[in-house]
Amino acid sequence: MKKVSKTFAVLLAVMVAMTAFAGCGSKTQESVRTEEGTKTTTETAEPAEPVTIRIATMFGGTDPATEVYKKAIEDYMAANPNVKIVDESMTSIGDEYRTKIKTDYAAGNEPEIIFFYTAADAKPLIENGKVMAYDEIWKTYPEVGKDITDGIKESMREFDGKIYALPVTGFYEGLFVNKEIFEANGLELPTDWAKLEKAVEVLSTKGIVPIAGPLGQSHYLIEHFVLSAAGEEGHKDVFANGVNPDWYTAFNNIKAFYEKKAFSEDAINMDIEGSQMLFKNEKAAMILEGSWFIGGCDPALQEKMTVIPMPSFTNGKKDPTSIVAGFSSGYYISTKGYNDESKRDIIIDLVSYLTTADMIAKMAEANGGTPAASVKVPGLSSVASAGHAMVAAAKALNMPIDSRLTPEAFNYIVKQGTPYIAAGKSTPEAVLEEVRKIHLGE
């Protein structure tokens, strides 16, 4: 081949513009074609259009996964400088978060992404077309949430047969016990009702609070005393045939425990955080809580703890292994956000990032929950290992009562029911009849 001069080679050069979309921005590569081939000579980045995404989750306040979540959001924005994430996360304790989400959606001011409850809480959002079904999203974006196991995805199907939320971790609830306090007082673990009553009797006479029970915010007490008295099927009752008599028994048991000084003297007005502090400060020997509670406990305390199923009441309707557990929350994508073409790809990318196997493992390590992906969770404490074993051995995993009753009905039990029944100012019959009417809209 005839050799050409350098100048001629330059004259032969052909500028080729190649634009490659990468993530959220775009890059332009300019190439020069010479006799020796094509060479990339320059690369310039075109600034991507700035995009603002609002997200609201329950990973705020004292939630054990808060720091992991915040770091994830910071890392995402660092990797995608054109994306500004407005994080509106807050604690899920109390009703403030529920109220915020419902108010935002009612006002047409919903975030593009929310981490929210399923079932009864989500039903109005679904019925009003406010959130997207992943069944539709997967037709265009099949990779979103791909690390979540198929069985867990299936468990998220709502009343209309579609999936609207992608979970990160599941949960279990149970009776957390300070083994050291039990051993120091010569007590067996409360694996049956008689041993539980014995523990209450012995500990209450020694100035130790037997159960850190917040009667003022009695969500977990309600779940477990109803499951204990009514069994797996009775726990699922939604008043279709009137009030289940076993529910009366459950609330009478709470009242009887209060009278036996199973709870602290100020339990009537105590909130959940107050009861948690009693247990964390080792002033209480037991607490009914969820798997997320583990991450908020000091590592030294975690080594003293174990978790077991709530004992069955003496009527024997509950299998001893049955517990409250499941996946009851996840990431939703608003219909309004998905239909905004300037935001859609970013929303999908962010949800995909927050539901990777790696992210799920980190969240599970932080909050002690059951991972939604098939991952090995590093650094599990002995109590977290006990929790996973409890789930594996359970004959039945019941979702919480508040996933079936309307929020208004369940909140009535919490606020107008348990503390008044325990104090003798109302009766289970009166409270539950009102709850039935609220739930059925009568």
Side-chain angles (χ1 to χ4, degrees):
M1 182 178 179
K2 185 179 179 179
K3 188 176 181 179
V4 295
S5 68
K6 184 176 181 180
T7 302
F8 185 64
V10 172
L11 292 174
L12 290 176
V14 177
M15 299 297 294
V16 179
M18 299 173 62
T19 301
F21 290 94
C24 304
S26 63
K27 292 181 179 179
T28 299
Q29 293 180 328
E30 295 179 348
S31 300
V32 176
R33 184 173 298 153
T34 68
E35 277 194 323
E36 289 77 23
T38 300
K39 296 180 179 179
T40 299
T41 56
T42 60
E43 181 173 308
T44 59
E46 293 182 352
E49 291 293 324
V51 177
T52 298
I53 301 295
R54 290 172 56 210
I55 182 170
T57 77
M58 295 177 269
F59 307 125
T62 57
D63 187 282
T66 295
E67 293 306 315
V68 173
Y69 167 76
K70 284 184 175 179
K71 179 69 164 51
I73 294 298
E74 290 170 1
D75 289 348
Y76 188 87
M77 287 196 287
N80 300 276
N82 65 311
V83 179
K84 178 183 178 182
I85 297 176
V86 178
D87 185 9
E88 301 174 8
S89 298
M90 56 193 291
T91 178
S92 63
I93 295 176
D95 295 328
E96 291 182 14
Y97 183 70
R98 273 191 174 95
T99 302
K100 170 196 163 41
I101 295 301
K102 291 176 180 178
T103 302
D104 282 351
Y105 271 88
N109 185 41
E110 61 266 36
E112 282 80 18
I113 303 169
I114 59 170
F115 192 90
F116 196 54
Y117 304 106
T118 58
D121 282 295
K123 192 173 183 182
L125 305 184
I126 295 169
E127 289 179 330
N128 292 315
K130 293 288 189 178
V131 289
M132 286 293 300
Y134 281 98
D135 309 72
E136 295 301 318
I137 293 173
W138 284 324
K139 292 177 182 175
T140 307
Y141 302 95
E143 297 297 301
V144 63
K146 64 180 176 56
D147 289 347
I148 299 171
T149 61
D150 290 342
I152 292 173
K153 285 178 186 169
E154 287 301 310
S155 74
M156 302 297 285
R157 291 199 180 278
E158 291 285 0
F159 62 94
D160 62 355
K162 296 181 180 178
I163 299 171
Y164 293 87
L166 293 181
V168 175
T169 58
F171 71 94
Y172 55 82
E173 298 178 12
L175 183 62
F176 289 85
V177 181
N178 186 319
K179 294 181 295 182
E180 195 169 274
I181 292 178
F182 269 68
E183 290 168 3
N185 289 280
L187 293 166
E188 295 181 81
L189 289 179
T191 52
D192 61 39
W193 196 259
K195 291 174 183 173
L196 178 62
E197 289 190 313
K198 179 68 175 178
V200 169
E201 177 188 344
V202 171
L203 295 171
S204 62
T205 60
K206 294 188 175 184
I208 301 169
V209 176
I211 303 173
L215 296 174
Q217 285 187 331
S218 55
H219 304 67
Y220 308 125
L221 292 172
I222 295 168
E223 293 290 351
H224 290 90
F225 276 82
V226 171
L227 179 63
S228 173
E232 298 79 28
E233 291 308 311
H235 181 260
K236 298 176 184 175
D237 203 302
V238 289
F239 309 117
N241 299 305
V243 178
N244 185 328
D246 290 330
W247 284 46
Y248 300 147
T249 302
F251 285 92
N252 281 325
N253 285 342
I254 292 177
K255 183 174 187 292
F257 267 49
Y258 178 66
E259 292 171 346
K260 293 177 181 176
K261 301 187 185 304
F263 311 121
S264 61
E265 292 182 358
D266 56 351
I268 290 289
N269 297 312
M270 182 172 283
D271 60 18
I272 290 174
E273 289 178 325
S275 69
Q276 290 177 342
M277 290 309 299
L278 269 181
F279 187 87
K280 290 176 182 177
N281 291 332
E282 301 190 63
K283 294 181 178 178
M286 296 175 277
I287 188 170
L288 287 161
E289 264 287 356
S291 45
W292 51 86
F293 176 64
I294 296 173
C297 294
D298 184 87
L301 176 59
Q302 291 183 27
E303 293 307 309
K304 301 177 184 177
M305 295 163 55
T306 191
V307 58
I308 59 177
M310 176 69 176
S312 311
F313 184 53
T314 51
N315 63 15
K317 292 189 176 180
K318 172 186 174 297
D319 184 274
T321 67
S322 296
I323 59 174
V324 176
F327 291 82
S328 61
S329 55
Y331 285 106
Y332 292 80
I333 294 175
S334 75
T335 302
K336 184 178 178 181
Y338 187 80
N339 288 337
D340 186 339
E341 293 185 359
S342 69
K343 296 183 176 182
R344 183 185 300 159
D345 286 350
I346 302 296
I347 293 170
I348 295 296
D349 190 57
L350 181 54
V351 172
S352 297
Y353 165 72
L354 292 171
T355 55
T356 59
D358 180 60
M359 192 63 65
I360 288 171
K362 289 178 181 176
M363 297 291 276
E365 183 181 8
N367 65 19
T370 309
S374 181
V375 294
K376 183 176 181 181
V377 181
L380 281 183
S381 64
S382 60
V383 62
S385 297
H388 285 198
M390 180 179 71
V391 173
K395 180 179 179 181
L397 304 176
N398 273 29
M399 287 292 287
I401 292 171
D402 63 0
S403 71
R404 293 181 288 276
L405 295 186
T406 63
E408 293 77 13
F410 189 74
N411 284 336
Y412 188 89
I413 307 178
V414 173
K415 295 179 180 177
Q416 306 298 323
T418 310
Y420 291 89
I421 293 171
K425 296 180 179 179
S426 188
T427 64
E429 288 79 2
V431 169
L432 293 173
E433 176 58 18
E434 187 63 25
V435 171
R436 185 191 69 78
K437 291 178 180 176
I438 295 172
H439 178 68
L440 299 178
E442 293 182 357

